[in-house]
Amino acid sequence: MCPKQTPSQQRPLARKLRSSKNVCHHMDLRSKGLFSNDAGCGLRRNLGVLREILLNDDAIFKEVWTKMSKSPISYESGRLYFENYRCCYTSQQAKPRLMYELPKCSKAEKIEDALFLQSPLGRTLPSSSDQQPSLLALSANSWLCRISPDTGDVLQRVYLSPQHKFRYLSWDDSQETIYAKSIQKKPSALARQAGLDVSVLMHLAVFRVFPLKLIGVLEISKQVFGNTVVDVALSQGVLVVSHSTKCVRLYSFERIIHMFRTKELVVGEPCDLSGTQGIVGEPPLGIPVNIHITEAPPVLFEVSYHEGIQIGGNPFHFIYTPSQKKHRGTHHICSLKDGTLAKNGVQDMNCCSLESDWILFHPDQSGRIIHVGPNIINVLKILTEWGGDNQSEIAKDFSITAQRDQNRASQVTVTSSGRTVKRRVHQLDDDPEHETFRMVDYEDELDLLTVVVTRREESGEVAVCLHDNNNGTMMKRILLQESWDETYSHQLILDRDTIVHIEQGKNNNFCCHVYKMTPRHIKE
């Protein structure tokens, strides 16, 4: 006999099950982790607790590990990679430890570039190996390998080409589409002597991830895009072609596929394309060119610039510096829809410094813009009226200002006769004696802006300042033990309770410092 259920255990009444929210609304809430019974909600709650602990005065960061290297060091999702990704250390424990070490290989087999792939949680993939995160590595001999980040085992291998040397890996759409780019082709001495014009500049191999699926291989030809083409990239489904004349043209990659893809190829299946036979993705064939661009596709957008162009915001805008000399040092923010300059769209720091200011779209996908100078950081927002044709406007969301002593602007000099002379000294905005902004990053899981500031006084103080991403309020200041030499490159990452500082030193040596959050009372 079944025990009698209490009212709380009974099935709720039908009228209480009704909801005014449709399926699309439910799916949108689920993607944001807003369901009480969803794992994403628990993760968000835990990260909120971690943020509160990290910003508490009783929590400090202590250096727990240091390692030198003669080759560049990379950090991806809690893992440190040394010796061209051959040695992998995890930084998710109290101290980093070695996870795996791949066998030593020849120069032709070394890893040139790599991307970290995070598997999707919303769908089931054909293979269990596809479901786990992996490191996608590109070797010097044009092998694309998917490697387990925990064991170093090779999960999948794809051979790209015996003729083209692919060397660079980049995202088109993050965690959706990647592309491998070859080095630029240069005519050989014999070709130059014969007067032959090598029109093909480079090749791109484009894949979807989860599972790894080939979209196609295309060649970038000077015959099609012009003799001035110097570089190409893929971003958000757009082929970006740069020219030596300081001009950028954008093309729809989807339209290029529709117009010029001759045959859809599948990795691991036989191929017979223009008399070329073999297995796609295996030697000796590799992946043949199946996207032949025979004529220039329609140009979506074109702009001349002095320095690079960036596209982002909501709705889409682009940032560039016009090629005219009078505009040097300024950043223009324009609508991508019609190219019109936004109101207050000319941003100029008017700073006097050795290093120029820089500007970028905010990595938090809010559509905002971060403009960084030596002593001030401006976070800007784009104001528009949806559905209207009115001009967009750039407004300041908040600013972060460096702490500086204004009284140091004047100095007192005593002459040989004893006369006191006051004189004003004009110093650079990034003078090492003043607090200067060196780096700005965004920690997405804790929703914090990470700002690195330096000051040569007090034994070369280096501090990591954590600011609220919504209003710029400084929440915590963390001092680093090592110095910061501005003449060399640096990389600093805040990842939950870990700070990783990778610096390049003299003689092209590299050093990695790892800090861990710890309670103040157990500092020693």
Side-chain angles (χ1 to χ4, degrees), residues 394-439:
I394 306 301
K396 184 183 296 184
D397 196 8
F398 60 83
S399 294
I400 301 172
T401 307
Q403 300 175 6
R404 296 197 170 184
D405 186 3
Q406 300 298 330
N407 296 327
R408 296 194 51 169
S410 62
Q411 291 185 354
V412 177
T413 301
V414 180
T415 65
S416 58
S417 62
R419 186 170 60 91
T420 301
V421 179
K422 289 186 177 181
R423 62 188 180 89
R424 183 169 297 277
V425 179
H426 295 281
Q427 292 180 312
L428 295 173
D429 291 328
D430 58 352
D431 189 283
E433 301 299 327
H434 291 308
E435 185 174 276
T436 305
F437 295 132
R438 299 295 177 185
M439 188 178 297

Side-chain angles (χ1 to χ4, degrees), residues 23-284:
V23 175
C24 294
H25 197 172
H26 280 293
M27 295 300 293
D28 181 57
L29 292 176
R30 179 181 175 82
S31 67
K32 297 175 182 177
L34 298 180
F35 277 102
S36 59
N37 296 326
D38 192 272
C41 185
L43 177 61
R44 289 167 62 91
R45 189 182 300 113
N46 292 339
L47 290 175
V49 173
L50 177 61
R51 174 187 162 114
E52 294 298 323
I53 295 174
L54 184 145
L55 297 178
N56 194 289
D57 292 337
D58 292 333
I60 63 172
F61 279 82
K62 176 184 176 182
E63 186 175 11
V64 298
W65 193 75
T66 303
K67 184 174 175 59
M68 303 289 296
S69 175
K70 293 184 178 180
S71 59
I73 305 169
S74 301
Y75 178 85
E76 290 287 351
S77 298
R79 294 169 177 83
L80 288 159
Y81 294 96
F82 292 79
E83 299 184 27
N84 297 106
Y85 297 90
R86 194 177 69 85
C87 300
C88 176
Y89 292 79
T90 176
S91 65
Q92 296 177 345
Q93 299 181 351
K95 288 186 178 181
R97 67 172 180 84
L98 181 66
M99 295 187 68
Y100 64 83
E101 184 174 343
L102 300 177
K104 291 187 177 181
C105 59
S106 63
K107 188 176 180 180
E109 297 173 324
K110 74 171 186 175
I111 296 176
E112 295 281 5
D113 203 357
L115 295 174
F116 194 82
L117 309 183
Q118 293 278 14
S119 57
L121 300 177
R123 68 179 189 271
T124 303
L125 300 178
S127 172
S128 59
S129 66
D130 294 332
Q131 203 72 47
Q132 60 180 318
S134 57
L135 183 75
L136 191 66
L138 178 63
S139 65
N141 54 0
S142 294
W143 278 95
L144 192 63
C145 303
R146 204 161 54 83
I147 301 173
S148 169
D150 299 325
T151 63
D153 296 335
V154 177
L155 305 175
Q156 186 178 2
R157 284 162 54 94
V158 178
Y159 185 58
L160 297 181
S161 174
Q163 296 96 9
H164 319 308
K165 294 184 178 180
F166 288 88
R167 186 161 293 176
Y168 311 100
L169 276 180
S170 298
W171 288 106
D172 175 13
D173 293 320
S174 181
Q175 301 301 328
E176 291 185 11
T177 310
I178 63 101
Y179 68 96
K181 184 167 69 172
S182 71
I183 61 175
Q184 294 189 10
K185 282 193 171 185
K186 296 182 179 179
S188 63
L190 292 176
R192 286 194 298 267
Q193 290 176 3
L196 298 178
D197 182 21
V198 180
S199 63
V200 177
L201 182 69
M202 62 180 63
H203 289 78
L204 299 181
V206 188
F207 295 84
R208 294 198 186 278
V209 295
F210 304 116
L212 199 64
K213 179 181 178 182
L214 175 67
I215 295 177
V217 176
L218 65 151
E219 58 185 20
I220 304 301
S221 170
K222 292 183 179 181
Q223 271 188 340
V224 173
F225 295 100
N227 291 325
T228 58
V229 60
V230 291
D231 199 9
V232 293
L234 273 177
S235 178
Q236 304 297 320
V238 174
L239 183 69
V240 183
V241 181
S242 303
H243 295 261
S244 59
T245 55
K246 296 295 183 180
C247 170
V248 167
R249 295 188 178 98
L250 308 184
Y251 306 89
S252 169
F253 187 62
E254 182 180 359
R255 186 163 185 175
I256 289 175
I257 295 174
H258 178 73
M259 292 175 61
F260 303 110
R261 186 164 67 177
T262 56
K263 185 176 183 179
E264 187 173 352
L265 302 178
V266 179
V267 173
E269 293 188 1
C271 163
D272 186 357
L273 185 64
S274 301
T276 304
Q277 296 181 349
I279 304 299
V280 178
E282 294 185 8

